[in-house]
Each structure stands twice: as C-alpha cells, then as structure tokens.
Amino acid sequence: MTFKQSDKLVRNDILLDIATFLARRWSDNSEVMVIISNNKAPSTNLEKNKITLPNLSYYNGENFQKYRQWRVALWYESMRIKYTTKRKISRYDYAHGFILKCLETKRIEVLGSNIWKGMIEEIIFAEGISWLSKP
C-alpha cells in the first residue's frame, strides 16, 4: 500500500478490513469487532470485544503518517483486549482512574512489545509525532 501527499485518505471500508484482520491477529481473539468512527478517540469495550477507532483524518501529518499513527492506536487497543483482565475499573475518582489507565497502558505496551518487536519503532514514531502537534 503506497501513500502520497496527493492521494485521498484510505476509505473506511478498507481500513475496517485491515483493522479487523490486525486486531484479531494481535489480540489472539477471533471474536474482536472493529468500528470506525468519525473523530472519536480510540477505545475498547472489553466485555464486548469491540474496538472503536477514528478514521485517518483524526491524526496529524501526511497520509502515511496518519496511517502509522492509526495502526499504533489499533495495536494498543488490541493489546488491551489481549492482556487486560480486570473488566471494570472504578470511575468514582477521575485522578485515580487516569493513573490506573496510564499504568495499564504502559503494562500492555511492555507485554505486547515483547511479542511484536516491530511495533517499538512505530510507538516511538507515534509518540514523536504527537509531540509535534501539541501547542
């Protein structure tokens, strides 16, 4: 798949096929469903094995850079399905929930990158480009 600056963004139906294949492979779960939503942050419903991802216009950069960021978000959500065992996190305290989510994200990143070593460079890329878009 090649991307150029002048190319249109990849259609959502093609992204959905790619996402479903990758999410099922990465999570080792053939029941995973992926939904593409306009401008909604990536999220996972662990009880329903459902990943919600934004389309490529949600991300910054050129088309291929957007695709790489989107793929990293998909990988994180797939790792969340694979490695997160606690189904419900108490949301009574916003700060407590935020800290738990950050710790869980780092934990699944470490576990997942031990298996999918090629994602380490993609994670670094996505983190780097996110810093470019911060005010």
Side-chain angles (χ1 to χ4, degrees):
M1 182 181 314
T2 61
F3 292 85
K4 294 180 184 172
Q5 181 62 28
S6 61
D7 289 347
K8 292 183 180 180
L9 292 176
V10 178
R11 293 187 339 235
N12 283 347
D13 59 332
I14 294 171
L15 284 177
L16 188 60
D17 288 341
I18 293 168
T20 301
F21 171 78
L22 289 174
R24 289 177 177 175
R25 177 68 178 113
W26 283 334
S27 68
D28 290 330
N29 184 338
S30 62
E31 302 297 318
V32 172
M33 290 186 317
V34 179
I35 296 172
I36 305 288
S37 177
N38 289 337
N39 297 321
K40 184 178 178 188
S43 64
T44 300
N45 184 328
L46 294 169
E47 294 171 353
K48 294 182 180 179
N49 287 325
K50 183 171 80 171
I51 296 173
T52 304
L53 291 172
N55 56 23
L56 294 182
S57 63
Y58 180 82
Y59 298 98
N60 295 314
E62 297 176 0
N63 290 342
F64 188 59
Q65 293 172 333
K66 290 178 180 190
Y67 172 73
R68 288 178 72 186
Q69 294 169 74
W70 176 85
R71 194 175 59 204
V72 168
L74 173 62
W75 182 80
Y76 271 110
E77 300 310 318
S78 299
M79 294 300 100
R80 209 173 298 286
I81 286 178
K82 181 175 178 124
Y83 292 117
T84 300
T85 56
K86 188 164 183 163
R87 298 292 184 197
K88 292 184 181 178
I89 294 175
S90 175
R91 297 182 187 230
Y92 299 115
D93 181 5
Y94 179 77
H96 186 256
F98 177 77
I99 291 169
L100 285 176
K101 185 176 180 184
C102 289
L103 289 172
E104 179 64 7
T105 299
K106 188 48 100 174
R107 185 182 78 84
I108 63 172
E109 179 182 308
V110 169
L111 291 171
S113 62
N114 285 334
I115 296 171
W116 302 100
K117 296 193 185 306
M119 289 306 292
I120 295 170
E121 290 179 10
E122 294 299 301
I123 292 167
I124 293 168
F125 170 80
E127 287 179 6
I129 208 157
S130 73
W131 279 99
L132 290 175
S133 64
K134 293 188 193 263

